[in-house]
Amino acid sequence: MAPAMQGTAGKRGQVHEAMETIGIQRRPSCHMQCEPTYPHATAGAGEEYPAEPPSRTSSAGDAFMRTASNPSQHHSAPHTEEVLRVATWNVAAVNNNPFEYWVTHPDPAYNALMQGVQDFIDDPGARDVAVEQIFDDAMAQQLFADMRHHAVDHVDEVAGLWESDYRSRRLISGFIKDSALGKKRLASMPDRITNTIRTTAGNHVMRPTVINYFDGDLSTTQKWWAAWRKFIFRTEVELFDGKQTGTTLILKLLDPIS
């Protein structure tokens, strides 16, 4: 953020700049007490801006602009209004996946990496191998054993689905791009909960994966799998649940998806 500007005019300029950044109209000639316009747009997280500004008494001579969709609707003013139209969109993220948001960057290596990932997802070709070539049967059996050890429900049903369906699916076309898995959030919800866990002490505990800032050794599948099992089944974190602080096994954070 730029250094604070001195004086009333400088502060007013900062406020106007912030208003423009988030898509709020203003009159360049107005003072600090002028009412901003709230465009008809989604504010993010399911909330919407109000159709028009909250009612408030203006100071003498001030004119309040109405909505961006109909800027001509405003109270009479003693001088000409100038309308600034601004577009904005929600770029918020709830995770640290570096491949989910592609930014403009001058580094050729970054651009080549991002384009390569995009091309692989769009058209994997021969690289669209069966899931069991990446996550094999031995790893699946270790997973089921860990789940049974921690008394997870319905492990036999999960093992049956693995044998009859998921192990033979194609990695990209049959799993990553499966719209049913996406709608049920069977992959995205566990990722949201365990991707980056913020503890009560202010620390960040990250799941071993390439889609966050994990800095451990993931150079081989075996090293990743050992780190993943330790994270899920043997790592406890101290969290505040809204009522009290307590230590919880990361596995226990994964509630059933309703």
Side-chain angles (χ1 to χ4, degrees):
M1 182 176 293
M5 300 175 65
Q6 300 296 319
T8 302
K11 293 180 180 178
R12 183 160 62 245
Q14 285 184 305
V15 171
H16 288 165
E17 182 180 355
M19 290 165 62
E20 292 167 8
T21 300
I22 62 174
I24 298 177
Q25 287 187 328
R26 68 176 178 87
R27 290 200 340 271
S29 59
C30 77
H31 297 291
M32 294 293 288
Q33 66 268 29
C34 281
E35 188 75 26
T37 294
Y38 292 76
H40 290 292
T42 301
E47 300 177 357
E48 293 187 353
Y49 291 111
E52 58 183 65
S55 174
R56 190 160 69 186
T57 303
S58 67
S59 57
D62 277 328
F64 291 165
M65 297 296 293
R66 286 302 185 102
T67 62
S69 60
N70 193 354
S72 63
Q73 294 182 354
H74 58 80
H75 300 291
S76 60
H79 54 276
T80 302
E81 301 291 345
E82 182 178 338
V83 176
L84 175 67
R85 297 183 181 278
V86 180
T88 185
W89 58 95
N90 184 358
V91 294
V94 296
N95 58 47
N96 296 324
N97 185 353
F99 302 109
E100 188 168 351
Y101 306 96
W102 189 345
V103 301
T104 301
H105 199 283
D107 185 357
Y110 169 81
N111 294 321
L113 171 65
M114 297 302 290
Q115 187 63 59
V117 172
Q118 185 67 57
D119 292 344
F120 172 61
I121 298 298
D122 288 342
D123 185 19
R127 295 176 295 175
D128 195 11
V129 299
V131 171
E132 58 92 15
Q133 290 186 243
I134 306 297
F135 187 83
D136 61 29
D137 288 325
M139 297 164 70
Q141 293 306 317
Q142 289 176 330
L143 174 62
F144 303 148
D146 288 334
M147 294 168 69
R148 291 187 177 100
H149 176 76
H150 289 279
V152 175
D153 294 333
H154 310 297
V155 178
D156 290 343
E157 288 88 338
V158 173
L161 288 170
W162 166 256
E163 289 292 338
S164 64
D165 184 5
Y166 287 100
R167 68 183 301 277
S168 58
R169 288 193 182 199
R170 293 293 166 180
L171 179 64
I172 302 300
S173 59
F175 187 80
I176 297 296
K177 292 185 176 180
D178 183 355
S179 60
L181 290 178
K183 290 177 181 178
K184 295 176 182 178
R185 310 199 69 183
L186 294 180
S188 62
M189 184 59 73
D191 173 63
R192 173 176 292 195
I193 294 171
T194 65
N195 184 291
T196 302
I197 301 172
R198 295 165 179 81
T199 68
T200 54
N203 299 320
H204 293 80
V205 181
M206 300 181 187
R207 191 179 76 248
T209 177
V210 297
I211 59 171
N212 62 19
Y213 302 147
F214 181 78
D215 61 358
D217 186 357
L218 301 178
S219 59
T220 68
T221 302
Q222 290 73 24
K223 289 180 179 180
W224 161 76
W225 180 231
W228 190 94
R229 292 177 66 197
K230 179 180 179 181
F231 174 83
I232 294 292
F233 295 109
R234 298 194 295 277
T235 302
E236 295 183 336
V237 289
E238 187 176 80
L239 303 173
F240 179 68
D241 65 3
K243 297 181 179 179
Q244 59 184 2
T245 298
T247 300
T248 306
L249 187 69
I250 290 179
L251 173 67
K252 301 300 182 181
L253 300 177
L254 299 173
D255 294 326
I257 300 174
S258 58

